[in-house]
Amino acid sequence: GTGVEINGNANDAGNDQDPTYAAAPTLGFRGEALFCLANLSRSLVVTTRCESTNDGYDDGLGEQFAFNHEGLLIPESVKPIPRSVGTTVTVKRLFETLPVRRIDMQKRIKAQRMKLMKMMQGYAILCTNIQFMVTDNQTANSQPNKSKSKSDLRLATSESSNTLEKRTASVLGTKFLAGLTRIEVDLTSLVGPVNAQS
């Protein structure tokens, strides 16, 4: 096959005769998550770029590829694309394959957005080594009185917010941070030193 294919369940990621799958008998945690997102949407688009190779060559290009709602790679979607180092996953038309769930989500969209943002804020605060950018893309279909699509930046972190304090201020604001009290707990007496020999 060409490229990557999300396929099946974690215990049977592909055909036993295919050597591609022999080395990787499961999709792994991230693969399963991507497979589930693909199943719940019209398509899932992954855009990624690794750091430069060992020989120092870096053309500034990443790769973009899409999967259909069955988790199969859409071959014509694979293309090189300029981007910074990192990975972006875009879910298009969430719950389109499950109309009843989509209608339910649309009825409770404000509460669903709030839950999603709280979850993303938590991840953004705790994962200081990862940059987050969350946009809310609303189209004319989701907003009947609007004629154009609209994209609002809801959450953004930067490389400079690399400590818990800086990240909390970046995500929740400096007033929120000012209301917090630092607590430090030393658990080494309970668990022993981290590099201890057993």
Side-chain angles (χ1 to χ4, degrees):
T2 304
V4 179
E5 187 169 304
I6 301 175
N7 186 3
N9 86 41
N11 296 324
D12 183 20
N15 184 335
D16 291 335
Q17 306 302 319
D18 187 343
T20 305
Y21 295 109
T26 70
L27 295 174
F29 176 75
R30 289 181 188 92
E32 281 296 312
L34 291 174
F35 177 74
C36 290
L37 283 172
N39 284 181
L40 295 174
S41 60
R42 174 188 288 173
S43 71
L44 178 110
V45 179
V46 178
T47 309
T48 188
R49 179 174 153 219
C50 298
E51 292 185 27
S52 61
T53 59
N54 291 340
D55 61 5
Y57 177 73
D58 186 2
D59 59 3
L61 293 176
E63 189 172 41
Q64 184 176 70
F65 43 95
F67 299 94
N68 66 18
H69 74 277
E70 294 173 347
L72 300 174
L73 178 69
I74 302 169
E76 59 273 10
S77 72
V78 179
K79 61 184 175 185
I81 188 165
R83 69 155 290 139
S84 58
V85 173
T87 301
T88 303
V89 176
T90 305
V91 178
K92 294 187 176 183
R93 304 290 296 171
L94 184 62
F95 296 127
E96 184 173 84
T97 59
L98 302 168
V100 174
R101 179 65 179 103
R102 184 170 179 82
I103 290 168
D104 180 58
M105 182 187 69
Q106 288 173 333
K107 286 180 184 176
R108 300 181 303 135
I109 194 68
K110 286 184 182 180
Q112 296 291 336
R113 277 193 179 112
M114 189 176 296
K115 280 183 182 179
L116 175 65
M117 284 310 302
K118 283 183 180 182
M119 180 183 73
M120 293 307 297
Q121 286 173 335
Y123 281 122
I125 290 169
L126 295 175
C127 302
T128 57
N129 60 330
I130 299 173
Q131 292 182 49
F132 288 80
M133 186 170 72
V134 178
T135 56
D136 186 358
N137 300 317
Q138 301 174 27
T139 62
N141 295 340
S142 64
Q143 301 236 324
N145 298 331
K146 305 280 182 181
S147 59
K148 291 185 172 184
S149 55
K150 175 180 155 186
S151 181
D152 290 328
L153 181 64
R154 297 290 184 189
L155 173 68
T157 60
S158 68
E159 285 184 48
S160 63
S161 59
N162 56 4
T163 66
L164 194 58
E165 289 83 7
K166 288 179 182 177
R167 191 54 75 95
T168 302
S170 171
V171 173
L172 299 175
T174 53
K175 285 185 180 181
F176 183 86
L177 181 63
L180 298 179
T181 302
R182 175 182 274 282
I183 299 175
E184 293 187 32
V185 179
D186 182 5
L187 299 175
T188 54
S189 63
L190 298 173
V191 294
V194 174
N195 295 327
Q197 300 286 332
S198 34

